Amino acid sequence: TDTAVGAMLAEARPRSDFVPGRIILVCGNLAPGGAERQVVNTLLGLAGAGLRDIALLAHALNPGPARHDFHLRRLVEAGIPAREIERRVGGLDDPDLPAELRRAGRALPEALLIDIANLVIEFRRARPEIVHAWLDWDCVRAGLAAAIAGVPRIVLSGRNLAPYRFALYKPYMDPAYRGLARLANVHFLNNSRAGAEDYADWIGIARERIRVVHNGIDAADCAPLSE
């Protein structure tokens, strides 16, 4: 799988015709959860800092038992665009499958390659200056897609210890992170020093490569205590 990832990224170069100041955040959904809350806080913070060309792409934003739209209301009220990723590619034989992904052959799961393909199409169409991916699911998918699409700055945000410690771990995460770490335009974040060091040791990069940005708190949500 290292070979497959290497083939996908062999021609990955930052493009020069990006839209300056355009930022896209990518997260699986906005269900109840700490990372999802931080995604929304980040978008609201960017808007509060005067940035206007910002948006969220998610794999699911539907209501229902999973409450994938739990935090969506705050973005809607702030006028920040948020939508599901457009699914244009449905299989590895689809003519819209980017050529870079064909090089991976069958070494990586088909569903993974389809997810990456649809994000490549999104990024090539939007031409963002920055893609900020959250959680391992999208650090892999959006990270690889952004690199293939030539996004100049790619931010991968980890929110815990390295994924191999958890049930969500998939073997393709190792080569994906290693491949992305070789690109100079890929930047790593974590919300704790322990998490940053664990990821760095797992990926095999210098610990200083992963910057720690602790979770923010929206003080406007906190009512002051009475005397």
Side-chain angles (χ1 to χ4, degrees), residues 16-23 53 127-129:
S16 59
D17 61 341
F18 61 88
V19 179
R22 177 165 293 171
I23 303 171
D53 199 351
R127 296 183 291 121
E129 181 178 6

Side-chain angles (χ1 to χ4, degrees), residues 1 5 8 59 92 97 101 107-119 136-137 140-142 144 170-173 176:
T1 50
V5 171
M8 290 164 52
H59 294 268
L92 298 185
L97 185 78
L101 298 180
L108 294 169
E110 180 175 4
L112 170 66
L113 292 173
I114 291 171
D115 284 345
I116 296 171
N118 285 314
L119 281 164
D136 296 302
W137 180 270
V140 169
R141 286 160 174 77
L144 291 172
K170 300 294 182 184
Y172 61 71
M173 292 178 177

Side-chain angles (χ1 to χ4, degrees), residues 2 5-6 9 144 173-183 186 188 203:
D2 279 280
V5 171
L9 299 178
L144 291 172
M173 292 178 177
D174 302 67
Y177 271 97
R178 286 195 293 263
L180 288 166
R182 286 192 284 270
L183 302 179
V186 172
F188 295 92
I203 299 169

Side-chain angles (χ1 to χ4, degrees), residues 41-225:
N41 284 347
T42 298
L43 284 163
L44 294 175
L46 293 173
L51 296 170
R52 292 292 173 260
D53 199 351
I54 57 177
L56 171 72
L57 287 177
H59 294 268
L61 285 175
N62 55 293
R67 297 190 290 174
H68 289 149
D69 63 342
F70 182 81
H71 292 289
L72 180 60
R73 176 184 56 81
R74 298 172 64 206
L75 295 182
V76 172
E77 291 175 349
I80 297 173
R83 64 174 176 85
E84 292 185 356
I85 298 160
E86 185 178 343
R87 292 165 176 83
R88 291 183 54 179
V89 174
L92 298 185
D93 296 325
D94 195 302
D96 288 330
L97 185 78
E100 293 88 348
L101 298 180
R102 297 187 189 280
R103 300 186 192 126
R106 302 283 174 170
L108 294 169
E110 180 175 4
L112 170 66
L113 292 173
I114 291 171
D115 284 345
I116 296 171
N118 285 314
L119 281 164
V120 170
I121 293 170
E122 290 275 14
F123 297 150
R124 282 178 170 166
R125 182 171 55 196
R127 296 183 291 121
E129 181 178 6
I130 300 170
V131 164
H132 184 174
W134 294 68
L135 302 172
D136 296 302
W137 180 270
D138 274 309
C139 285
V140 169
R141 286 160 174 77
L144 291 172
I148 291 169
V151 176
R153 297 183 183 182
I154 303 166
V155 181
L156 307 182
S157 183
R159 317 300 298 171
N160 211 315
L161 300 179
Y164 75 90
R165 299 181 180 275
F166 304 100
L168 56 79
Y169 167 75
K170 300 294 182 184
Y172 61 71
M173 292 178 177
D174 302 67
Y177 271 97
R178 286 195 293 263
L180 288 166
R182 286 192 284 270
L183 302 179
N185 60 320
V186 172
H187 307 272
F188 295 92
L189 300 180
N190 201 284
N191 60 347
S192 73
R193 174 54 55 194
E197 293 179 354
D198 199 48
Y199 265 85
D201 294 346
W202 170 61
I203 299 169
I205 58 177
R207 289 182 169 184
E208 295 74 23
R209 177 88 184 270
I210 302 182
R211 184 177 178 184
V212 176
V213 178
H214 297 292
N215 287 347
I217 297 174
D218 185 355
D221 287 342
C222 304
L225 295 173

